[in-house]
């Protein structure tokens, strides 16, 4: 979610390449200094310029772009003269002069191998993008590469002159009598789902875009939306605590001239749909330069709370006052708006730590450890536990009718790490990688529902969907905590195992119906549903109309 998202998620972004459109002569004419790379609209800095190998028509990028710009684990071995890239369960090994790469243990033909140029290790963008699910667009005129992550597909062009009223007004309808939740995540970070960049500063255009978005989702059978109201230490509503989000106007801290959140809620409720306010709790900024943030941003007001990691800024969960600040920001919405739910994604502690790249909270560990916890991992989990518990208490005290839930990474722990974990072999886990002890939250009733991100197919043997759905059902059984499943339509038509047919999503929904504990589904994300990957929309319409 949240990314990818994480994050989801994310999700799965590391390097890229692509088929440069246009003629081979035009591609060859692009000089090294001309090419710039943007990931989800953000320029990726590079200490060595990308270039095109004209003979093969392949773009090469520095390995450092992968490790720093995209947050992957990318390592170079001088001994074996090979690059190793790890991300979300995928493992790629590319060697100098090698015409084949190792992808998750399989040998795959490689058009261009990695190479050293002026002391920098350069790798082929296209190959990595194909393996990791990136969408790549080349603009010959501007000589720019626009990368769109697997959780960030371009939305439809905005209406240039939207009418003040919808062309076909939707009459208010009573809430659905079906208890099954059918939701979609709507990301505002990097303008992934809503609003579009073309709508910056245009109130009526943004409203028209959201109306069309709801039209589309409701037409597929959705009855709830989970809208990201706090992308990263900011807000899409007037706040006394945090600045306006840059994703409304293109300028951080700039007032868009209206209250977007109030409009979104009213338009959603007018249709009888639920509106859940989605918060990214501890991501302070998607960039690493605090000097570019507004004066009232937490990174400016409390720099001692901030940890820089993986090219982003994070609020340190180990500092009690920092956790309280996040809770207060969320409660501002709970007390000020008619929302149906408070929803958190899996951005607690960031994943991707290595022996050489750590989330630097050693000083915090020594200074804020009242419980004298000897293991740092247990201390981190205790910090998140306190946050989850205290926020839930605040929400219920303010309005018991508001649903409070969290969407963690889909694997709590592998059986190899804990005999009570799932029979999976995921490279990361909620418990060990993001320090989210979801089991404790469920057993103590601190949350009303849990939505694990089961972003794998029924045939991905290392992390099989059905095995995980069964495991999570067992965790909530008898607790009173509801279970919704997070699905991954964004993976349809990607090379990952099991995503070559839209029926995969329907098969997962049908499997859910065999498990009494599963009360619904949430899809990541709205834009991926709307682009109708492999003909998914009519399948969803048929499935939900028949059920």
């Amino acid at each position: 979610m949240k990314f990818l998202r994480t994050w989801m998620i994310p999700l799965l972004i590391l390097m890229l390449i692509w088929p440069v459109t246009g003629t081979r002569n035009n591609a060859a004419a692009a000089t090294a200094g001309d090419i710039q790379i943007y990931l989800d609209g953000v320029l990726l800095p590079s200490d060595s310029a990308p270039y095109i190998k004209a003979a093969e028509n392949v773009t090469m990028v520095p390995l450092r772009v992968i490790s720093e710009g995209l947050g992957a684990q990318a390592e170079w071995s001088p001994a074996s003269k090979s690059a190793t890239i790890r991300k979300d369960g995928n493992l790629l090994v590319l060697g100098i002069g090698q015409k084949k790469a190792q992808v998750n243990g399989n040998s795959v033909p490689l058009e261009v191998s990695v190479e050293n140029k002026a002391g920098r290790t350069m790798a082929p963008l296209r190959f990595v993008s194909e393996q990791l699910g990136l969408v790549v667009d080349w603009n010959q005129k501007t000589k720019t590469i626009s990368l769109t992550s697997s959780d960030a597909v371009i939305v439809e062009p905005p209406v240039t002159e939207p009418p003040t009223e919808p062309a076909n007004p939707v009459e208010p309808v009573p809430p659905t009598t079906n208890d099954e939740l059918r939701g979609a995540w709507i990301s505002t970070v990097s303008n992934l789902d809503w609003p579009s960049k073309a709508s910056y500063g245009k109130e009526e255009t943004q409203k028209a875009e959201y109306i069309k978005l709801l039209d589309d989702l409701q037409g597929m059978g959705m009855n709830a939306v989970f809208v990201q109201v706090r992308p990263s230490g900011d807000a899409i509503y007037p706040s006394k605590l945090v600045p306006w989000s840059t994703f409304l106007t293109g300028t951080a801290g700039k007032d868009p001239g209206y209250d977007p959140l109030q409009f979104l809620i009213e338009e959603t409720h007018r249709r009888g749909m639920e509106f859940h306010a989605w918060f990214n709790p501890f991501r302070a900024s998607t960039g690493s330069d605090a000097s570019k943030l507004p004066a009232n941003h937490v990174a400016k007001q409390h720099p001692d709370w901030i940890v820089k990691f993986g090219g982003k800024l994070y609020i340190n969960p180990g500092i009690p006052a920092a956790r309280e600040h996040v809770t207060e920001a969320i409660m501002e919405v709970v007390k000020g708006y008619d929302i149906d739910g408070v929803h958190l994604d899996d951005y607690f502690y960031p994943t991707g730590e290595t022996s050489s790249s750590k989330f630097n909270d050693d000083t915090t560990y020594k200074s804020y450890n009242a419980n004298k916890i000897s293991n740092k991992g247990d201390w981190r989990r205790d910090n998140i536990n306190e946050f989850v518990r205290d926020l839930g208490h605040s929400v219920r005290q303010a309005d018991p009718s508001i649903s409070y839930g969290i969407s963690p990474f889909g694997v709590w722990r592998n059986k190899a790490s804990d005999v009570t974990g799932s029979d999976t072999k995921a490279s990361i886990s909620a418990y060990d990688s993001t320090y989210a002890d979801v089991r404790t939250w469920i057993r103590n009733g601190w949350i009303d529902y849990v939505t694990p991100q089961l972003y794998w197919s029924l045939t991905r043997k290392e992390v099989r969907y059905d095995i995980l759905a069964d495991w999570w059902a067992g965790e909530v059984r008898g607790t009173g905590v509801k279970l919704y499943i997070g699905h991954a339509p964004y993976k349809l038509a990607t090379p990952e195992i099991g995503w070559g047919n839209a029926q995969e999503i329907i098969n997962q929904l049908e499997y859910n119906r065999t498990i009494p504990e599963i009360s619904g589904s949430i899809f990541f994300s709205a834009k991926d549903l709307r682009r109708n990957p492999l003909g998914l929309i009519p399948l969803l319409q048929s499935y939900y109309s028949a059920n």
Side-chain angles (χ1 to χ4, degrees), residues 88-90 104 409-415 422-429 453-469 472 491 496-497 499 504 508:
D88 296 333
N90 292 301
N104 298 326
F409 184 74
V411 174
W412 176 71
R413 298 194 88 185
N414 296 308
K415 183 173 287 188
S422 54
D423 188 12
T424 52
K425 296 179 181 179
S427 60
I428 64 175
S429 68
Q453 299 167 22
L454 303 194
Y455 294 169
W456 302 284
S457 70
L458 285 154
T459 51
R460 178 75 182 271
K461 63 180 181 180
E462 301 90 351
V463 276
R464 238 174 57 196
Y465 177 89
D466 54 337
I467 289 176
L468 284 164
W472 284 101
K491 283 193 173 180
E496 186 175 319
I497 295 172
W499 295 100
E504 173 65 30
Q508 292 181 4

Side-chain angles (χ1 to χ4, degrees), residues 283-489:
R283 183 173 62 198
S285 175
T286 55
S288 60
D289 188 354
S291 68
K292 297 179 180 179
L293 300 172
N296 62 334
H297 193 282
V298 64
K300 284 285 191 67
Q301 295 188 331
H302 299 282
D304 53 313
W305 292 358
I306 303 301
V307 178
K308 185 184 294 186
F309 178 80
K312 298 179 178 65
L313 300 179
Y314 294 88
I315 298 172
N316 191 338
I319 300 176
R323 297 197 300 267
E324 291 172 8
H325 164 78
V326 176
T327 297
E328 288 174 4
I330 294 173
M331 291 307 299
E332 190 177 35
V333 174
V334 171
K335 295 176 180 178
Y337 294 89
D338 181 23
I339 59 174
D340 297 294
V342 168
H343 181 80
L344 304 183
D345 53 32
D346 57 345
Y347 271 78
F348 299 109
Y349 283 90
T351 61
E353 285 191 283
T354 65
S355 58
S356 59
S357 178
K358 295 288 187 179
F359 185 84
N360 187 8
D361 59 353
D362 289 343
T363 300
T364 308
Y365 178 38
K366 295 176 183 177
S367 303
Y368 300 97
N369 191 0
N371 295 328
K372 307 297 181 184
I373 299 174
S374 59
N375 179 279
K376 190 175 181 181
D378 290 338
W379 171 78
R380 285 181 173 178
R381 279 181 285 273
D382 188 60
N383 294 331
I384 301 304
N385 283 347
E386 288 194 9
F387 170 73
V388 169
R389 180 197 64 204
D390 294 349
L391 174 59
H393 176 75
S394 296
V395 171
R396 286 165 179 165
Q397 190 173 47
D399 189 344
S401 70
I402 291 179
S403 180
Y404 170 50
I406 300 178
S407 178
F409 184 74
V411 174
W412 176 71
R413 298 194 88 185
N414 296 308
K415 183 173 287 188
S417 301
D418 187 318
V419 292
T420 66
S422 54
D423 188 12
T424 52
K425 296 179 181 179
S427 60
I428 64 175
S429 68
Y431 184 93
D432 299 291
S433 304
T434 64
Y435 301 91
D437 187 5
V438 190
R439 170 177 284 173
T440 294
W441 310 344
I442 293 172
R443 291 184 175 180
N444 284 285
W446 293 344
I447 55 179
D448 297 314
Y449 71 86
V450 63
T451 306
Q453 299 167 22
L454 303 194
Y455 294 169
W456 302 284
S457 70
L458 285 154
T459 51
R460 178 75 182 271
K461 63 180 181 180
E462 301 90 351
V463 276
R464 238 174 57 196
Y465 177 89
D466 54 337
I467 289 176
L468 284 164
D470 290 344
W471 187 89
W472 284 101
E475 288 298 298
V476 304
R477 189 170 295 129
T479 65
V481 175
K482 289 186 176 182
L483 173 61
Y484 306 132
I485 301 297
H487 295 272

Side-chain angles (χ1 to χ4, degrees), residues 526-545:
K527 66 188 171 311
D528 300 293
L529 291 174
R530 297 175 81 192
R531 66 187 174 89
N532 193 26
L534 302 177
L536 175 62
I537 290 177
L539 293 180
L540 283 174
Q541 291 172 328
S542 176
Y543 178 80
Y544 281 136
S545 65

